[in-house]
Amino acid sequence: MTTAQQTSPYQHYVYAYPHKTAYRRLPDRPALRELWTVQDRSALSLYVHIPFCEVRCGFCNLFTRIGAPDGLTGAYLDALERQADAVRAALGDGEPVRFATAAFGGGTPTFLTAAELERLCDIAERRMGADLRAVPLSVEASPATATADRLAVLAERGATRLSLGVQSFVDSEARAAVRPQRRADVEAALGRIRDAGIPVLNIDLIYGIDGQTERTWRDSLDAALAWRPEELYLYPLYVRPLTGLGRHQGDTGADPEWDAQRLRLYRAGRDHLLARGYVQQSMRMFRRADAPPQGADDYACQTDGMIGLGCGARSYTSALHYSFDYAVGMHEIRGIIDDYVTTADFAHAEVGYRVTGHEARRRHLLQSLLQAEGLSVADYRARFGSSPHDDFRAELHRLAGRGWLTDTAGDLLVLTPQGLAHSDAVGPELFSPEVRSAMAAYERK
């Protein structure tokens, strides 16, 4: 890692560890039944991935394709049913299987029609056994696809959270991010979401867009706040390879001036929300102090398993994280989706990363430390029989030395405000050498 990379606040958005670019083909293709037979299945998370969008934003490197030829969404739901049947059979009936939380992501799940969303919910409930009306259910949407009929289906089927990707309320900034939308259409979509009565509205915003200023950033924040969203996510803009912006701008390398701008906008946004009754949950996430609780009391992302359905979804067991092939380029994504919809055998894991004991410790450290509430040393010791201070002494010492971590001698490890601001540097610094090496060797496609 270069000095510039070490000091840049913006290296990787760590939403999962290890990253999918560390995954590789599993030559033994382990049977799902063998993987799940030893797992606790009393509080699982269900994630269903829909890899379709009406447009692809310039910053997007998610696994998704633009549009769908006639019949493709139906064929995709057919494949989801086959996969759900295979996974549910692998979970077995020896011990109770219960889902504590569920989410539909993508892509844009609301790219599906209202009837297809009904079918999607049926797959989660009737095939997998998830009680969507009894657990938190989060669904991602775009302004153009947040139509009244789709929202009515989601509300009736138990959606408790709707996340709307707005990114900017300033039309010129949306165009600069290659996100064709008009503020009037965004406002209309927000009105429909509130009318649908889904309890939690989340609005995604992005800072660091070309031409954005502190004034226009404040304008977007205030436009979002006018809807009193229960949650707001503030994302720094990244220009990644193989994305629309990446192809247009190329590899610009380290940019201290842009880093400084994004940090400045982050702090302005954070302070603006904190002053208006929001509580910071992580670098990106802010929740209104009086918002209804969102999340399962008995599910912990550090320890509990996740079932992923769909060709872009991950599944987590204690020993293996697995998925399907990964790509960013449109041609490759289309090929993976085409392979998925014709797959008959979903009983085996195909691509993944084996999580050793030390990697499990790193994942627990990462998943906890990047949350504002921090890591409980007692919980870590109860799970692993050791202390994070012993397992990661050098790493924690470096973070504390930069002023990014509070006193590591106590019962709680917590990032300071400066540390939270540098979360996208803290996370990658905690990657293992093995994961870092695998990510570096990944051939982009």
Side-chain angles (χ1 to χ4, degrees), residues 76-121:
Y76 187 82
L77 290 170
D78 290 343
L80 273 180
E81 286 189 345
R82 295 195 300 273
Q83 186 186 8
D85 287 344
V87 172
R88 189 60 187 81
L91 291 174
D93 298 316
E95 296 179 8
V97 175
R98 175 180 166 270
F99 291 95
T101 181
F104 301 155
T108 308
T110 48
F111 180 90
L112 300 178
T113 65
E116 288 172 331
L117 286 172
E118 290 274 18
R119 186 179 174 195
L120 179 65
C121 292

Side-chain angles (χ1 to χ4, degrees), residues 1 5-7 11-12 14 362 366 394-399 402 404 423-432 436:
M1 194 178 288
Q5 286 176 313
Q6 287 178 326
T7 56
Q11 296 174 33
H12 291 288
V14 184
R362 284 189 180 275
L366 275 162
E395 293 94 329
L396 296 178
H397 181 74
R398 281 198 303 272
L399 295 178
R402 294 176 193 158
W404 293 359
S423 290
D424 287 4
V426 171
E429 185 154 333
L430 297 176
F431 290 0
S432 72
R436 197 174 289 123

Side-chain angles (χ1 to χ4, degrees), residues 4 15 50 58 61 98 195 222 257 274 287 321 350 378 401 405:
Y15 55 88
I50 304 299
N61 72 337
R98 175 180 166 270
D195 289 345
D222 286 339
E257 185 175 339
L274 294 179
R287 179 177 292 141
H321 292 187
E350 305 290 347
L405 190 67

Side-chain angles (χ1 to χ4, degrees), residues 125-423:
E125 291 186 332
R126 299 175 185 174
R127 306 278 179 159
M128 290 304 302
D131 188 349
L132 297 182
R133 293 179 180 85
V135 303
L137 170 61
S138 177
V139 184
E140 297 173 10
S142 67
T145 61
T147 58
D149 59 339
R150 292 174 170 103
L151 294 170
V153 168
L154 295 175
E156 195 279 327
R157 298 301 292 261
T160 56
R161 179 179 182 270
L162 198 290
S163 181
L164 192 72
V166 173
Q167 319 317 346
S168 177
F169 283 86
V170 179
D171 289 352
S172 61
E173 291 178 4
R175 288 194 298 272
V178 195
R179 184 179 179 85
Q181 66 185 24
R182 296 184 306 128
R183 176 170 176 172
D185 296 330
V186 172
E187 300 277 3
L190 287 165
R192 292 191 295 271
I193 293 166
R194 282 310 196 196
D195 289 345
I198 295 171
V200 173
L201 165 64
N202 173 70
I203 297 176
D204 289 344
L205 297 176
I206 285 181
Y207 54 92
I209 299 170
D210 188 31
Q212 191 177 50
T213 66
E214 289 193 45
R215 182 187 61 78
T216 62
W217 176 228
R218 177 75 64 91
D219 288 345
S220 273
L221 290 165
D222 286 339
L225 288 169
W227 292 96
R228 298 198 76 241
E230 286 72 23
E231 294 177 2
L232 277 159
Y233 271 72
L234 308 185
Y235 288 94
L237 179 66
Y238 277 89
V239 176
R240 300 178 176 96
L242 303 182
T243 63
L245 289 177
R247 288 191 297 272
H248 176 68
Q249 298 182 17
D251 183 5
T252 57
D255 189 342
E257 185 175 339
W258 191 32
D259 285 349
Q261 182 210 22
R262 284 180 288 179
L263 265 179
R264 187 168 60 251
L265 293 173
Y266 159 78
R267 290 177 176 131
R270 174 198 63 193
D271 294 347
H272 196 61
L273 296 185
L274 294 179
R276 282 153 183 78
Y278 284 77
V279 178
Q280 187 168 18
Q281 306 289 314
S282 68
M283 172 187 165
R284 288 165 170 75
M285 181 183 179
F286 296 80
R287 179 177 292 141
R288 212 178 70 211
D290 62 346
Q294 176 67 17
D297 292 337
D298 59 346
Y299 177 81
C301 65
Q302 297 94 331
T303 56
D304 290 323
M306 184 165 82
I307 297 289
L309 300 179
C311 59
R314 312 159 190 258
S315 295
Y316 303 146
T317 70
S318 59
L320 179 72
H321 292 187
Y322 63 92
S323 183
F324 297 91
D325 203 2
Y326 172 71
V328 175
M330 190 57 63
H331 177 74
E332 288 76 9
I333 287 175
R334 287 174 175 171
I336 294 170
I337 294 172
D338 290 344
D339 288 344
Y340 176 81
V341 300
T342 58
T343 296
D345 175 16
F346 286 105
H348 300 266
E350 305 290 347
V351 177
Y353 191 94
R354 297 192 183 279
V355 181
T356 63
H358 195 65
E359 293 290 18
R361 286 172 164 81
R362 284 189 180 275
R363 179 170 182 264
H364 189 109
L365 180 72
L366 275 162
Q367 298 280 64
S368 303
L369 207 55
L370 295 180
Q371 300 298 310
E373 64 183 9
L375 181 147
S376 164
V377 175
D379 288 349
Y380 183 97
R381 190 183 297 278
R383 181 180 179 192
F384 298 111
S386 60
S387 163
H389 305 90
D390 294 332
D391 294 341
F392 301 102
R393 182 175 304 277
E395 293 94 329
L396 296 178
H397 181 74
R398 281 198 303 272
L399 295 178
R402 294 176 193 158
W404 293 359
L405 190 67
T406 56
D407 180 12
T408 58
D411 295 327
L412 196 63
L413 297 180
V414 181
L415 292 180
T416 63
Q418 182 77 342
L420 270 182
H422 288 77
S423 290

